[in-house]
């Protein structure tokens, strides 16, 4: 066993740490995670809770904020100084401009994208992560809904909803997923004609329109695990692709583009996880504790609870 992995496992026991990781975290860290999955899996584990007093989150800081909000009795950390998602930090979806727009429709419920600032969630009525946007919108009572999220994911979701959605007009685009080229997909499909093409809904419309599935990575994994098909072209973040290669070695996986690699996650290398788990390391660069005030925590945790009830998971 890798010495760093062995030491991290020892430190987890010594320091009462549970590691919750999104599977976009570097593949080298997957073995030390107590929970590993997509956003729905991540927050399923948060909702279930854990016996450990300390939680290390291997995901952008907004994941840790939501975790701290839902589990206020835990100490929630991220490696190093944390990392922020450009979509969540984009000026277009900050609190003031969205609230001004939202105030034009005070009678309508608002669905907020999970990849958004924490304070923006204070004016939301429902919370949705990339693979679950259509499902959450369709679960909302009423025929008209407000929505603010990532541009490409919104375009894909609107093809799958059964009600009128008024979309916030200034949505940011995920540059990582938007980098995938439709020409690359065409070439790979010619090379692997019997493959199933699965892409993330934050890919551009030219890509999602040609895919067999434009869905979240958790749903992709379910399909891969049960499908008799042996070859998959994956328009996904690199570390999820690497996870599938490891978990299903009997199948062939082709990564749509080497550009689909998110530096927001890639900074959480194994050595950073080791530093974060070593409480004798008191450097400010070792870990960042994430805290949320009680009023914000109450509001945000209610959104998480409502989301999982809509999935029939609570």
């Amino acid at each position: 066993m890798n010495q760093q992995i062995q030491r991290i496992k020892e430190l987890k026991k010594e320091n009462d740490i549970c590691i919750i990781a999104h599977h976009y975290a570097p593949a080298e860290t997957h073995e030390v995670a107590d929970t590993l999955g997509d956003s729905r899996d991540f927050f399923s584990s948060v909702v279930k809770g854990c016996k450990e007093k300390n939680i290390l989150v291997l995901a952008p800081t907004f994941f840790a904020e939501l975790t701290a909000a839902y589990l206020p009795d835990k100490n929630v950390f991220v490696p190093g100084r944390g990392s922020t998602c450009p979509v969540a930090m984009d000026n277009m979806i900050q609190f003031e401009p969205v609230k001004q727009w939202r105030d034009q429709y005070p009678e309508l419920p608002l669905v907020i994208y999970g990849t958004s600032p924490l304070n923006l969630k204070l004016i939301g009525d429902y919370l949705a992560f990339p693979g679950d946007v259509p499902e959450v919108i369709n679960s909302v009572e009423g025929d008209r809904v407000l929505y603010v999220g990532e541009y490409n994911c919104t375009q894909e979701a609107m093809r799958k909803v059964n009600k009128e959605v008024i979309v916030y007009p200034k949505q940011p685009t995920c540059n990582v997923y938007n980098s995938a080229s439709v020409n690359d997909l065409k070439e790979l499909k010619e090379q692997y004609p019997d493959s199933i093409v699965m892409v993330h809904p934050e890919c551009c419309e030219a890509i999602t329109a040609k895919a067999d599935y434009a869905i979240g990575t958790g749903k992709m994994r379910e399909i891969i695990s049960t499908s008799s098909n042996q070859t998959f072209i994956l328009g996904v973040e690199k570390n999820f692709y690497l996870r599938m290669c490891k978990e299903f070695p009997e199948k062939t996986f082709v990564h749509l583009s080497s550009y689909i690699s998110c530096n927001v996650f890639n900074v959480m290398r194994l050595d950073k996880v080791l530093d974060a788990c070593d409480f004798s390391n008191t450097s400010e660069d070792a870990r960042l504790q994430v805290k949320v005030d009680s009023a914000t925590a109450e509001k945000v945790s209610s959104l998480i609870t409502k989301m999982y009830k809509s999935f029939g998971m609570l």
Side-chain angles (χ1 to χ4, degrees), residues 6 15 28 45 59 65 68 111 113 115 139 154 158-160 183 190 210 218 244 251 254 264 269 272 278 304 312:
Q6 178 62 39
N15 295 325
E28 65 188 34
S45 66
E65 290 173 337
V111 179
Y113 203 47
T115 307
S139 75
T154 300
M158 292 309 101
R159 303 194 304 186
K160 300 174 180 177
N183 290 328
E190 290 174 353
K210 293 183 179 300
M244 294 302 94
K251 298 189 177 186
V254 183
V264 174
R269 311 299 301 185
K272 297 294 185 182
D278 184 359
I304 296 173

Side-chain angles (χ1 to χ4, degrees), residues 164-265:
E164 179 185 352
V165 182
I166 300 173
V167 176
Y168 178 66
K170 298 179 180 179
Q171 299 184 110
T173 300
C174 174
N175 290 332
V176 174
Y177 274 118
N178 202 49
S179 67
S181 165
V182 70
N183 290 328
D184 289 342
L185 177 56
K186 181 180 178 181
E187 291 178 6
L188 289 173
K189 190 61 180 175
E190 290 174 353
Q191 187 176 352
Y192 302 94
D194 297 325
S195 63
I196 291 178
V197 179
M198 296 195 288
V199 303
H200 192 277
E202 287 181 358
C203 290
C204 68
E205 188 174 2
I207 295 284
T208 58
K210 293 183 179 300
D212 296 296
Y213 299 93
I215 53 178
T217 49
K219 294 172 184 175
M220 288 185 195
R221 186 176 180 276
E222 291 177 11
I223 292 171
I224 290 168
S225 66
T226 58
S227 174
S228 60
N229 197 285
Q230 293 298 302
T231 305
F232 299 86
I233 296 173
L234 301 180
V236 295
E237 207 286 329
K238 176 189 67 177
N239 290 300
F240 173 74
Y241 156 76
L242 293 174
R243 180 187 182 190
M244 294 302 94
C245 292
K246 182 178 181 179
E247 289 191 6
F248 303 98
E250 74 281 4
K251 298 189 177 186
T252 298
F253 297 98
V254 183
H255 197 204
L256 174 59
S257 171
S258 60
Y259 292 110
I260 309 179
S261 179
C262 181
N263 287 332
V264 174
F265 283 91

Side-chain angles (χ1 to χ4, degrees), residues 126-143:
Y126 296 86
L127 186 65
F129 285 92
D132 304 315
V133 173
E135 184 176 351
V136 171
I137 290 177
N138 286 332
S139 75
V140 176
E141 292 185 9
D143 298 325

